[in-house]
Amino acid sequence: IQEKLQGLVHMDSADNTSGWTREHIEAAIRGIAEVHSIWLGREEELKQQPWLVDYPTTQNMKEKLRLWELLGVHCREEFPEWFSEQDLSNYRDIVHSIGDWWSLIEMMPRTLIHNDFNPRNIAFRREADGSLRLCAYDWELATLHLPQHDLVELIGFTLYDPLDPAEVEYYIELHRTEI
């Protein structure tokens, strides 16, 4: 499916999300929840789709252990003001226990997710009735995973410190009820 991406609101706004309002975040959550609902409960059928390749499993996440280790080292080297030696040590502990906790993820309800759901890859079209419709593009990283993954990425890019726990809870509940 293709759509001409012109006349959109907040296209390519990852570098500056200050214009994002509650209306935009809600429209993004409702839009991606609609996508999530399509494959929710149909995981085995989704796994059979020829376009779904290399979705994360406990086994292949463990096989990528060296990649995860190097990613942590890269973060420490590139962003020392954000990622301390203690952060790297904690990160390594988490990475080395991936086989324990990833198996829990595989037991939870999973669906098709965008897997890069942030203002770099989403925008909005203003409809005739004034509402916003989500336009999510660049689906090349789409995979089978927890639907909450897309929600967390969106919130990480669009909410600012200090975070209001009630606002975060509101968006979590909105996503849950929209699926």
Side-chain angles (χ1 to χ4, degrees), residues 3-6 8-11 27-28 31 114 117-118 121-127 132-139:
E3 177 177 350
K4 189 167 184 159
L5 300 178
Q6 66 182 30
L8 299 175
V9 177
H10 292 314
M11 186 161 176
H114 186 280
F117 193 68
N118 63 70
N121 297 316
I122 59 180
F124 305 93
R125 188 169 308 286
R126 184 70 69 182
E127 300 287 65
L132 291 174
R133 180 174 53 88
L134 174 68
C135 293
Y137 46 94
D138 290 345
W139 284 83

Side-chain angles (χ1 to χ4, degrees), residues 23 28 37 67 84 96-98 115 120 129-130 133-134 145 155 158:
E23 178 189 23
S37 70
L67 171 66
S84 69
H96 284 276
S97 65
I98 201 165
N115 202 30
R120 182 178 46 250
D129 66 0
R133 180 174 53 88
L134 174 68
H145 203 337
I155 288 174
T158 57

Side-chain angles (χ1 to χ4, degrees), residues 41-136:
R42 298 171 53 201
E43 187 173 318
E44 292 308 314
E45 184 183 351
L46 179 59
K47 288 177 183 178
Q48 302 305 313
Q49 300 304 309
W51 43 263
L52 183 68
V53 296
D54 196 32
Y55 59 87
T57 65
T58 301
Q59 183 58 39
N60 67 27
M61 293 299 281
K62 287 170 41 179
E63 290 169 1
K64 295 173 184 161
L65 182 63
R66 184 72 177 138
L67 171 66
W68 306 134
E69 288 175 337
L70 291 173
L71 179 61
V73 170
H74 175 75
C75 288
R76 175 67 184 127
E77 290 172 355
E78 291 296 316
F79 307 105
E81 68 278 13
W82 296 336
F83 203 72
S84 69
E85 280 298 323
Q86 184 60 51
D87 293 330
L88 180 57
S89 177
N90 294 341
Y91 174 83
R92 284 181 172 142
D93 290 343
I94 292 168
V95 164
H96 284 276
S97 65
I98 201 165
D100 300 329
W101 54 267
W102 198 271
S103 60
L104 298 174
I105 288 174
E106 288 188 89
M107 292 188 294
M108 296 178 195
R110 297 179 297 166
T111 189
L112 179 68
I113 68 163
H114 186 280
N115 202 30
D116 199 16
F117 193 68
N118 63 70
R120 182 178 46 250
N121 297 316
I122 59 180
F124 305 93
R125 188 169 308 286
R126 184 70 69 182
E127 300 287 65
D129 66 0
S131 65
L132 291 174
R133 180 174 53 88
L134 174 68
C135 293

